Amino acid sequence: MAMRHVDDAERRARLARRHGLHPAHRLDDVLSATRAMTVLHSTESATPYLSVGARTDGVGPEQVDRALYEQRSVVRQLAMRRTLFVLPRDLLPAALGSAAARVAAEQRRRLTRDVERHGIARDGTAWLEAACEAVLRHLAGSEPLPARRLREEVPELTGTVTVGVGTRYGGTFPVAPRVLAVLGAEGRITRGPNAGHWRTWRPTWTLTADWLGEDVEPVCPEEGYAELVRRWLRTFGPGTADDLRWWLGSTVSAVRTALADVGAVEVSLADGHSGWVLPDDTEPADPVEPWAALLPTLDATTMGWRGREHYLDPADVPYLFDTNGNAGTTAWWDGRVVGAWVQDPDGTVQVVLTPAGTARAGRQGRAALREEAACLSGWLDGVVVPHVYASRLMKGARLP
């Protein structure tokens, strides 16, 4: 039987429907929007709020807060690629048993090495175990606490290390946040209420069992990776094995095993590579009418694949991504990224197109994006969102 071919137009149609970006396929609430995307990026505090807002009608920051901090139907978790995500709660065992466990092991190794190298302790492993146990004891029965309070109240967290000398992100840093990151990646503690506005990130920490009302048992790595791959294919398929390896931050072997475990079906893609879909997802997708969307920094759609040519002109990458591959805000027309969006000091949203995007959007696309900008301005209601990962286009770089 001939291998089915999925062209770029079909991939964009799938994206429009499954990601809740087409007006006819909006999602109902915070949990359904998170499930639709498998996970939401949460490195920047505002991103999950804006990501949900872009995929739903009438769901604002208050509902996102309620899902995170009252219903706790979605949770923040350090997982794939040492990135902070918002996950549906039922995905937590799979993430903790696979991608998060890989991150935790690597962070443990690096921290114990640095503790010994900087003279904090001769035995970094013993020091880290003592520090972790001290944090767990201190949080037991306590209200959620910010990292600063934990540093002040837990002597075992004392110490600093100097890393990345001569680099942009180098400097001398306390070890306390790295201990918390290890415990968080292992699922023993979790991020509780945000002590700041939703647009800024001031997390508090609490025991995971206290926050969720139960212990979370990680599944075995193979089962965890299989579940992550199953959900990723439902959201992003077809995608390549390389897309999955990058997204998971895993090994090629883990991806191959997971694809086999879920019974993934191979298809051909327009760029000549092989892609994969779930066995019940092989039917062609119908086209959709043109649509416009404004997505936030590091949105899960923009960051879903490593190979992005089916929705992104390679010439636009330097204007929309930083040198580490982090995407800024994006403006979409009919399934393709055509630019970015920024805010005036009063919070009004403006769309900025690349030269290629201007030609691609045309009059219809530009008008639709102006309408999206007005809607987003109303949704933000004067709130100006700060960005850590601002692209060249967002910064106003002159375009050729």
Side-chain angles (χ1 to χ4, degrees):
M1 182 179 296
M3 185 184 302
R4 186 165 107 71
H5 181 70
V6 181
D7 62 22
D8 287 349
E10 183 178 348
R11 296 182 77 181
R12 292 191 292 269
R14 284 171 169 251
L15 178 160
R17 288 189 176 91
R18 299 180 185 202
H19 295 198
L21 297 176
H22 193 279
H25 298 276
R26 289 286 191 258
L27 300 162
D28 293 333
D29 51 32
V30 177
L31 180 57
S32 63
T34 307
R35 284 192 187 283
M37 298 311 302
T38 301
V39 294
L40 302 177
H41 275 256
S42 191
T43 304
E44 291 200 359
S45 180
T47 293
Y49 294 84
L50 292 162
S51 292
V52 169
R55 294 169 168 85
T56 57
D57 292 321
V59 177
E62 298 81 6
Q63 289 94 326
V64 180
D65 277 343
R66 190 174 303 121
L68 279 167
Y69 306 128
E70 296 178 20
Q71 299 166 344
R72 301 172 193 178
S73 57
V74 295
V75 293
R76 283 190 169 97
Q77 176 63 41
L78 194 70
M80 295 74 72
R81 306 188 315 280
R82 199 164 56 86
T83 297
L84 185 63
F85 294 98
V86 170
L87 285 69
R89 180 167 167 171
D90 66 353
L91 187 56
L92 197 54
L96 289 176
S98 56
R102 179 179 172 86
V103 169
E106 178 62 15
Q107 293 307 299
R108 273 186 169 273
R109 184 187 67 79
R110 292 184 178 185
L111 182 51
T112 55
R113 177 200 63 193
D114 288 343
V115 164
E116 294 172 0
R117 181 179 295 172
H118 291 82
I120 296 174
R122 294 184 64 181
D123 185 339
T125 300
W127 180 92
L128 180 54
E129 285 301 321
C132 288
E133 290 304 317
V135 170
L136 296 174
R137 287 196 303 271
H138 197 75
L139 286 175
S142 168
E143 64 179 354
L145 297 175
R148 177 186 55 79
R149 283 273 305 275
L150 287 168
R151 284 174 57 191
E152 293 171 350
E153 298 171 5
V154 181
E156 288 85 351
L157 293 178
T158 302
T160 60
V161 297
T162 302
V163 296
V165 177
T167 68
R168 177 184 176 188
Y169 299 105
T172 299
F173 304 99
V175 294
R178 295 177 63 181
V179 175
L180 300 180
V182 168
L183 285 167
E186 293 174 343
R188 294 200 277 174
I189 65 174
T190 192
R191 292 157 180 83
N194 182 21
H197 189 275
W198 63 265
R199 65 178 177 174
T200 57
W201 187 221
R202 293 175 57 197
T204 58
W205 292 93
T206 186
L207 297 180
T208 301
D210 289 349
W211 184 248
L212 298 180
E214 60 184 1
D215 290 322
V216 179
E217 288 296 328
V219 300
C220 70
E222 292 79 12
E223 184 180 344
Y225 278 124
E227 183 60 21
L228 287 173
V229 166
R230 182 180 293 109
R231 297 201 192 194
W232 186 92
L233 287 174
R234 186 71 65 193
T235 298
F236 298 102
T240 67
D242 193 46
D243 290 330
L244 270 165
R245 183 198 59 77
W246 170 80
W247 186 85
L248 288 167
S250 70
T251 63
V252 173
S253 175
V255 170
R256 288 174 177 167
T257 299
L259 286 170
D261 287 344
V262 302
V265 175
E266 189 175 9
V267 298
S268 65
L269 303 177
D271 60 6
H273 291 101
S274 292
W276 298 90
V277 296
L278 290 172
D280 64 350
D281 190 29
T282 59
E283 292 301 313
D286 293 330
V288 296
E289 293 297 317
W291 54 276
L294 299 179
L295 301 184
T297 298
L298 298 172
D299 184 80
T301 295
T302 315
M303 300 294 294
W305 298 266
R306 187 180 186 190
R308 299 169 177 144
E309 292 190 12
H310 60 290
Y311 64 91
L312 178 66
D313 189 325
D316 284 343
V317 171
Y319 300 113
L320 299 166
F321 291 76
D322 67 16
T323 55
N324 292 319
N326 298 304
T329 63
T330 50
W332 293 66
W333 171 244
D334 199 19
R336 292 182 173 92
V337 179
V338 293
W341 60 270
V342 295
Q343 287 180 275
D344 293 340
D346 65 357
T348 301
V349 174
Q350 303 287 346
V351 176
V352 186
L353 302 181
T354 66
T358 300
R360 190 178 295 279
R363 182 179 299 177
Q364 181 186 6
R366 292 194 296 272
L369 286 167
R370 283 194 295 270
E371 291 183 10
E372 288 296 312
C375 290
L376 181 54
S377 295
W379 190 92
L380 288 166
D381 194 23
V383 172
V384 177
V385 177
H387 299 282
V388 176
Y389 299 101
S391 65
R392 287 176 62 192
L393 193 58
M394 294 168 65
K395 294 176 183 177
R398 181 180 293 276
L399 299 175

